[in-house]
Amino acid sequence: MINKCILTNKLANNGYSVSHSQVKTKKIQHLNLQTKKIWSTKQKRWIKIKVSTKAIKSLHKFKI
């Protein structure tokens, strides 16, 4: 399964790790994904979702 936030659709970010001598090596900046159990008002049950920590802070904005 891909590491992606269910609510915001964020993915990992590509970048470079730069040393003191300016040698660049590729690196991936992963998301801070957490498994969260939330109450779904539409389905009337608890559901488990993988969300980023930024989405957890603004969880009240999303209608699930």
Side-chain angles (χ1 to χ4, degrees), residues 7 55-64:
L7 300 176
I56 291 174
K57 292 176 185 175
S58 60
L59 201 57
H60 65 281
K61 293 181 185 177
F62 301 103
K63 304 288 184 205
I64 298 174

Side-chain angles (χ1 to χ4, degrees), residues 2 7-8 11 16 18-22 24-25 32 35 37-38 40 44 51 54-61 63-64:
I2 191 165
L7 300 176
T8 59
L11 295 170
Y16 288 105
V18 182
S19 69
H20 179 68
S21 62
Q22 301 299 312
K24 295 171 182 70
T25 56
N32 189 2
T35 303
K37 255 171 63 169
I38 61 168
S40 174
K44 303 262 192 275
V51 292
K54 188 157 190 160
I56 291 174
K57 292 176 185 175
S58 60
L59 201 57
H60 65 281
K61 293 181 185 177
K63 304 288 184 205
I64 298 174

Side-chain angles (χ1 to χ4, degrees), residues 11-53:
L11 295 170
N13 188 26
N14 294 329
Y16 288 105
S17 183
V18 182
S19 69
H20 179 68
S21 62
Q22 301 299 312
V23 175
K24 295 171 182 70
T25 56
K26 287 192 175 186
K27 70 173 182 177
I28 296 177
Q29 296 171 336
H30 296 286
L31 290 174
N32 189 2
L33 287 180
Q34 307 292 323
T35 303
K36 186 86 172 149
K37 255 171 63 169
I38 61 168
W39 178 257
S40 174
T41 54
K42 293 179 183 176
Q43 299 176 5
K44 303 262 192 275
R45 66 183 184 99
W46 290 97
I47 55 174
K48 283 171 98 174
I49 56 173
K50 286 174 77 172
V51 292
S52 62
T53 52

